[in-house]
Amino acid sequence: MANPEKATGSGSQISISTDSKTYKTLGSVTKFSGPNMTRDTVDATDLNSYENNDQMEESLPGFIKAEDISFEGFVKKTDEGITALETAFYDGTQCQIKVVLPAAIGKTVIYTGIINAYKAVGDIAADSGISYSAGMKPQKKPEVSATVTGIGG
């Protein structure tokens, strides 16, 4: 049995857009965590469910809930992605976060939502870089597509 292709996160690219067209790369991203998604169910049990559905309650699909996306990295002196992130956060505008996975995976995922968390300056220590962190509340189904140009490894 052949092993499935696997990859590390090395080579992934994270970028942000506030107009759905132009993306600015977030430099020095060290960690990205996509949303955990769950679906509510709506009770559809009726008077015939006991006999017609093997004594089981019946359910219909409800709303999909997406938990927050989170990412963090190191602050860089010049980073157009962080500038766009800050603007989207303070303006409260909807934006897109694009995640290009390594070539071995070959997928791109675009999340649309609102930046709902931003820590411009995280821990400051003599032996590590200065960090930042941010979060997004997804508001639409993610767009998943094949990556046009392969990157990473």
Side-chain angles (χ1 to χ4, degrees):
M1 181 174 180
N3 288 333
E5 287 192 46
K6 299 177 184 177
T8 66
S10 180
S12 297
Q13 289 183 347
I14 315 294
S15 54
I16 184 170
S17 175
T18 55
D19 64 6
S20 302
K21 298 172 190 162
T22 307
Y23 283 87
K24 297 184 179 179
T25 301
L26 291 160
S28 295
V29 175
T30 58
K31 185 177 180 183
F32 177 88
S33 183
N36 181 41
M37 300 203 306
T38 59
R39 180 183 286 280
D40 287 338
T41 56
V42 178
D43 184 12
T45 307
D46 62 25
L47 296 176
N48 294 316
S49 295
Y50 187 85
E51 292 178 10
N52 296 339
N53 198 39
D54 295 325
Q55 303 177 15
M56 297 290 296
E57 292 180 345
E58 296 181 276
S59 299
L60 298 173
F63 289 107
I64 294 173
K65 292 181 183 176
E67 293 179 1
D68 291 355
I69 293 167
S70 63
F71 49 99
E72 55 192 58
F74 293 117
V75 176
K76 290 175 63 177
K77 186 175 181 179
T78 57
D79 189 331
E80 290 183 351
I82 292 296
T83 302
L85 177 76
E86 287 176 344
T87 301
F89 176 73
Y90 289 116
D91 291 351
T93 56
Q94 191 176 66
C95 63
Q96 293 73 39
I97 298 291
K98 178 165 64 172
V99 181
V100 179
L101 298 170
I105 303 298
K107 290 186 180 179
T108 297
V109 183
I110 298 175
Y111 299 98
T112 298
I114 303 257
I115 301 297
N116 63 349
Y118 179 56
K119 187 176 187 179
V121 177
D123 297 333
I124 298 175
D127 61 349
S128 66
I130 299 171
S131 64
Y132 75 91
S133 62
M136 171 195 256
K137 179 66 176 174
Q139 296 180 312
K140 294 183 178 181
K141 179 181 173 183
E143 299 172 39
V144 181
S145 62
T147 300
V148 178
T149 57
I151 62 165

